[in-house]
Every structure is written in structure tokens, then in C-alpha cells.
Amino acid sequence: MAKVRGAVVVAKEGCKGCGLCVEACPECVLSLNREVNSRGYHYSYMENPEACIGCANCGVVCPDTCIEIYRVRLQ
Amino acid sequence: MMEIKDIIKPENLVYGKSNLLVDTISHYCPGCTHGVVHKLMAELIDEMGLQEKTVGVAPVGCAVFAYNYIEIDWQEAAHGRAPAVATGIVRLNPGKFVFTYQGDGDLASIGAAEILHACNRGENILVVFINNGIYGMTGGQMAPTSLENMVTSTTPFGRDSERNGYPMKMTELVAQLPGTSYVTRQSAQTAATVRKCKRALKKGIQNVLEKKGTSFVEVVSTCNSGWKMTPVQANKWMEENMFPYYPLGDLKDSKKGESVSKN
Ligand SMILES: Cc1ncc(C[n+]2csc(CCOP(=O)(O)OP(=O)(O)O)c2C)c(N)n1
Ligand code: SF4
Ligand code: SF4
Ligand code: SF4
Ligand SMILES: [Mg+2]
């Protein structure tokens, strides 16, 4: 079992659906939603949440800083 | 098995929005490099405790509204004149940290004289140079930095250097001037390069605080709208086409008056 687990929160309304976070995620956690936000963008979400390691790569590349990253160490 | 709601708790937060970034939705196109570099400047100014000391000078170009996004003092300059405006600000307020934020049309075209002379005088400022090889704001016209054969709205058959001149390497030019201290070329398309770019900007800020002369940080960037690609395609195109002509790395690391260039 992995020693760290992570999770992200995407600010749905701030996301512009650029897909850079999806590309940057080493664990294929993220995907662009089929649904759109109020501005018509296919916002990013955790399609595969169990795989997140909280590395923050997605947040770091996001031009609109709409991803918060959380991480815990497992005992 | 740990549940997501047990992970998403304030004490587990490892990355979020900088306090200095205004909570608003920017006018930038999805995936635009400007957003990434704004974020890095906001994070650094906050982490280095410089909010009260900083004056940014915004350009004309897509970053014309930079002052709407970072909570610091700003001055908007006429097209290309940010280095001249920054000169005035820093000479009258030597205790301030002053930086310009300029696109390639702004810095390399209409503002070519201002940047070269500010760098030659060694004004104690940081220059953040967003080189996306095009005039993004006005509809994707050729810039001095557009690559050879690059298709833009004013070079529909590609840039012909015989006719339009050769793509300008501003960073190499300013590295030759004795007034510059730290001159580097970075990018911001992957998590690793964004983190590296942040370290370069930090070093540039530190050099300015130590009054070493002009620090110049180019960020090879994308303009996916102007290039007519998706943001992901634009990053790939940049890696394949921009990086060979605009190679990444430090060009100079010295202080004002020492013209030691790394190449
Ligand atoms: C004196 C003057 N000339 C021309 C313009 C038109 N103009 C606005 S932005 C721009 C070029 C912007 O390109 P760049 O600096 O590369 O910024 P980008 O939008 O690509 O970030 C031009 C020519 C202007 N606003 N003012
Ligand atoms: S924190 Fe890392 S693993 Fe988790 S979604 Fe972001 S990039 Fe993927
Ligand atoms: S990088 Fe940011 S704006 Fe782009 S899709 Fe991901 S969360 Fe949305
Ligand atoms: S036009 Fe180009 S430089 Fe301007 S916001 Fe859009 S992608 Fe960015
Ligand atoms: Mg440009």
C-alpha cells in the first residue's frame, strides 16, 4: 500500500478546462468532466481519486490556480 | 481504507492559492502561460515578505491587466516603456523592489530601445519577459521573436527571415550588457519547469534586493489562441520548436559591471 494519499479540490467555477492538469498528473487521477460549469468549460475533476498521491503537480501547472491539494502520510 | 473526506482537511493542505492572488477569474485564455507566471510572482512576493515594498510595472499586451490580479502596487506603462517607467520609480524609491512584466511584442519590438538601455544602465530592477513568439493580444501577428517559417496572421505563409528579419534573441543580447547581473531563460509548461522557473525568479528578486543591477528572466511561453492549438498541443509545439532556438538555462550570473557571460 502507498505511503501517502492525496486528494484535490478543483474550484469548479474557476476552471477553464485547459487540460494542463490532466496532462501533468503522473497517476492519471484527473479528467475533464462531461458536464460544464456556468461559463461553459469542461472542468477538471478526480476521475480516479484513489490513485492521488498529493504530489501537487496539477496545482503547480494550473494557470488559474484553481486546484487545492491535500496530502496525508499513512502509518 | 482512508476516505477522501478524511484527506481533505485544512491541516492536510499542501498547495493552494497565494494570499496575494486576487480572488477573481482572469481574462486570460484557458492554458495561457501568463497565468502561471503571475502565480509564481504572487507566491514569491508573499513568501519573501515583499508585498509592501513591491511595485510592478505592467505592459501593453495580454498582461495589460496584470494589476488586477496581484495585490501589490502597480503602474501601467505605455507600450514597451515599462523599463523606462521602472527606472523612474526605482531611482526615486531605491528602497522599493521594482519589476517589469513584459511580452515579446512589448519588449522586443516597440520597446527594444527601452529594455536595452535600462539593461545597459544596470537599473536595479527585475524584468520578467514572457516570450510567446507572437502578439497575443492583438490577434496573433508576427513578433520579432516569431520563429522562422512560423505562421502568424501577418505571415500566413510563415516568417521569411530574408524579408522579415531573423527571430530576435533578446536574452542573449542583454546578457552581453555590463548592467545585467542575472540573465536566464526558463519555461513553465510542466510541474518541474514551473518549480525551476520559480527558483530563477527568486534569484532575480534576490539580486535586485542586493542591488546587483538588472535581472532578466525570460520565460519561453505559449499563446495557444494565437498559435491556433489546444493548450496541451501548444506546450508540445513549444518544446519541439521554440526550445531548439531559445535554449533554456542561465546565460549570466554576476553583478553589475562584470561582463562575464556564460556563452
Ligand atoms: C503604441 C501602441 N502601438 C501598438 C499597440 C497595439 N498593441 C497592443 S498589444 C500589442 C502587442 C502585444 O504583444 P506582446 O507584447 O507579445 O504581448 P502578448 O499579448 O503576446 O502577451 C500591440 C502591437 C498599442 N496598444 N500601442
Ligand atoms: S496531486 Fe499529483 S497525483 Fe494527485 S491529482 Fe494532482 S498531479 Fe495527480
Ligand atoms: S489546469 Fe486548472 S484551469 Fe486547466 S483544466 Fe486543470 S484545473 Fe482547470
Ligand atoms: S491571446 Fe495568447 S497570450 Fe493572450 S491570453 Fe490568450 S493565450 Fe494568452
Ligand atoms: Mg507575445
Side-chain angles (χ1 to χ4, degrees):
Chain A
M1 203 166 104
K3 290 200 175 65
V4 286
R5 277 281 312 271
V8 308
V9 177
V10 179
K12 174 176 159 186
E13 288 303 318
C15 174
K16 295 176 181 168
C18 72
L20 295 182
C21 56
V22 176
E23 193 74 8
C25 176
E27 306 295 328
C28 304
V29 174
L30 301 170
S31 188
L32 297 183
N33 209 305
R34 289 167 61 91
E35 305 287 311
V36 293
N37 63 17
S38 70
R39 293 155 67 248
Y41 291 121
H42 293 277
Y43 55 95
S44 171
Y45 79 112
M46 288 202 290
E47 187 184 43
N48 186 14
E50 301 298 314
C52 179
I53 54 171
C55 68
N57 283 4
C58 53
V60 167
V61 300
C62 175
D64 291 280
T65 326
C66 40
I67 311 184
E68 279 181 347
I69 293 106
Y70 297 83
R71 185 167 61 216
V72 287
R73 286 202 160 277
L74 301 178
Q75 307 309 324
Chain B
M1 198 72 190
M2 196 162 220
E3 292 198 39
I4 300 297
K5 68 171 173 34
D6 299 321
I7 305 173
I8 300 174
K9 287 182 172 167
E11 62 269 30
N12 298 331
L13 183 71
V14 290
Y15 187 90
K17 205 178 185 112
S18 162
N19 291 327
L20 294 198
L21 275 177
V22 177
D23 196 13
T24 182
I25 293 173
S26 79
H27 71 293
Y28 294 119
C29 303
C32 177
T33 315
H34 279 302
V36 181
V37 182
H38 280 30
K39 169 171 76 173
L40 294 182
M41 287 305 291
E43 288 175 3
L44 284 166
I45 292 166
D46 192 17
E47 289 162 17
M48 297 171 81
L50 297 173
Q51 183 181 21
E52 296 299 321
K53 241 182 117 133
T54 302
V55 184
V57 185
V60 170
C62 280
V64 67
F65 296 128
Y67 49 73
N68 286 334
Y69 304 132
I70 308 178
E71 287 279 10
I72 51 170
D73 287 337
W74 285 96
Q75 175 63 50
E76 169 58 31
H79 204 8
R81 274 51 171 180
V85 173
T87 297
I89 296 172
V90 78
R91 286 192 175 201
L92 288 171
N93 305 276
K96 295 280 183 190
F97 162 59
V98 182
F99 74 95
T100 70
Y101 183 105
Q102 303 178 258
D104 50 326
D106 190 82
L107 183 145
S109 191
I110 193 167
E114 281 74 11
I115 191 63
L116 289 179
H117 287 288
C119 287
N120 191 50
R121 294 190 304 268
E123 298 299 339
N124 203 45
I125 58 172
L126 168 69
V127 176
V128 182
F129 171 37
I130 306 297
N131 179 11
N132 55 17
I134 208 160
Y135 290 1
M137 184 193 208
T138 41
Q141 293 84 359
M142 180 186 71
T145 44
S146 300
L147 296 176
E148 204 150 16
N149 300 318
M150 186 167 163
V151 173
T152 70
S153 58
T154 44
T155 55
F157 306 108
R159 181 186 187 146
D160 172 3
S161 293
E162 283 296 312
R163 181 188 159 109
N164 307 122
Y166 297 89
M168 288 264 265
K169 297 190 178 192
M170 293 306 294
T171 305
E172 278 77 354
L173 280 175
V174 304
Q176 301 306 316
L177 301 173
T180 52
S181 62
Y182 179 51
V183 180
T184 187
R185 183 183 281 122
Q186 302 288 327
S187 69
Q189 83 284 19
T190 62
T193 52
V194 174
R195 290 183 173 111
K196 199 158 174 236
C197 184
K198 184 173 175 179
R199 289 196 290 276
L201 289 166
K202 182 172 185 176
K203 180 164 180 163
I205 296 173
Q206 274 163 343
N207 278 13
V208 172
L209 296 177
E210 290 165 20
K211 303 203 185 300
K212 286 185 171 172
T214 311
S215 283
F216 189 99
V217 180
E218 172 178 348
V219 185
V220 183
S221 298
T222 65
C223 169
N224 60 75
S225 287
W227 295 1
K228 315 231 176 295
M229 297 174 196
T230 67
V232 172
Q233 285 168 343
N235 277 344
K236 198 161 188 299
W237 191 89
M238 173 179 71
E239 288 172 351
E240 288 169 1
N241 298 279
M242 300 277 280
F243 290 179
Y245 193 81
Y246 297 114
L248 305 185
D250 290 352
L251 285 89
K252 184 179 186 180
D253 189 358
S254 67
K255 59 175 190 271
K256 186 173 171 173
E258 289 176 358
S259 52
V260 255
S261 170
K262 279 198 168 176
N263 60 341

